[in-house]
Amino acid sequence: MHDPIYEEAYQGHIIKIYHDPDAESPRQWSNLGTLICWHRRYRLGDSHQFDSPEAFLRNLANVSDQSDLLLDQLRERAGHKAITLPVFIYDHSGLAMNTIGFHCPWDSGQVGFVYVTLEVVRKEFGVKRVTKALREKAEDILRGEIVSYDAYLGGRVYGYVIEQDGEEIDACWGFVGDYETGCLPEARQAVPVRSPGQTPQSTSAQAQAHP
């Protein structure tokens, strides 16, 4: 196992935070949206059979191949069937992904879409009509899925190990995102509560971050 990226003494135990070497892609989770991408070098998102963004939008909008609608018109038609957000990628010393685009015009560009059909939204939320508020809620969920996938692409997936007297007593992996807000608080909650009268190993927590 590699060196921890962070460790601290807490409640008489040692918490160590590591990068997760076998992290599962968030696209393996139960997601509301479907992420489809086109890239010459990387396999990204979910599997699909569309050879181009135009083919995808035609299918989503239920428009035949013989139609001469422009791409913007196809997007508008697709919007009556689904909630669709563009997805952008930044490829420079690693990959990053978002739904708003990047400032660098040379190493970034649109790579695909994340979408959910209105039928799926109605079924998921148990409603007959997708209101503006519900559409915005679904969009937020889709953006959150891309945030998680971006963290995965960037290697920001962590796990913790809890030790006592040099022995591992607990561990958990697969925390996506900044470890300070997810993995570490979970690790602290997992530390066993000391019995009354038990002498702690340390009277105060000492933390050390590793470069």
Side-chain angles (χ1 to χ4, degrees), residues 28-59:
Q28 300 297 319
W29 303 348
S30 178
N31 294 289
L32 177 67
T34 300
L35 172 59
I36 61 172
C37 301
W38 296 266
H39 200 285
R40 290 175 294 178
R41 297 197 305 274
Y42 308 117
R43 297 186 65 179
L44 301 167
D46 303 318
S47 61
H48 64 88
Q49 303 299 319
F50 303 107
D51 58 8
S52 68
E54 183 178 7
F56 160 70
L57 290 172
R58 285 183 181 278
N59 179 269

Side-chain angles (χ1 to χ4, degrees), residues 49-202:
Q49 303 299 319
F50 303 107
D51 58 8
S52 68
E54 183 178 7
F56 160 70
L57 290 172
R58 285 183 181 278
N59 179 269
L60 195 60
N62 196 24
V63 173
S64 71
D65 294 341
Q66 286 72 40
S67 171
D68 58 357
L69 291 176
L70 300 176
L71 203 60
D72 286 344
Q73 293 173 311
L74 288 174
R75 289 196 188 99
E76 183 179 355
R77 290 283 187 93
H80 298 300
K81 301 284 187 178
I83 298 169
T84 305
L85 298 177
V87 175
F88 302 89
I89 195 168
Y90 177 65
D91 183 4
H92 185 80
S93 300
L95 297 178
M97 183 177 284
N98 67 26
T99 58
I100 59 175
F102 298 90
H103 293 297
C104 178
W106 296 281
D107 296 323
S108 67
Q110 185 172 349
V111 72
F113 299 92
V114 60
Y115 77 99
V116 58
T117 65
L118 298 183
E119 179 182 0
V120 168
V121 173
R122 289 191 289 266
K123 184 180 298 184
E124 180 70 20
F125 292 95
V127 298
K128 295 183 178 180
R129 186 172 68 89
V130 178
T131 63
K132 179 181 178 181
L134 184 54
R135 178 181 285 267
E136 291 174 352
K137 181 176 181 178
E139 288 178 351
D140 286 341
I141 292 173
L142 297 183
R143 293 187 187 98
E145 292 179 3
I146 299 304
V147 169
S148 294
Y149 194 55
D150 170 66
Y152 167 76
L153 293 176
R156 298 189 304 280
V157 186
Y158 305 94
Y160 67 74
V161 172
I162 299 172
E163 297 179 355
Q164 185 177 36
D165 299 328
E167 294 186 6
E168 179 181 321
I169 64 169
D170 196 5
C172 191
W173 302 87
F175 293 89
V176 178
D178 296 334
Y179 70 83
E180 297 97 332
T181 58
C183 186
L184 183 57
E186 288 286 340
R188 289 170 176 163
Q189 290 184 8
V191 170
V193 178
R194 294 195 305 271
S195 301
Q198 181 180 351
T199 302
Q201 295 180 7
S202 173

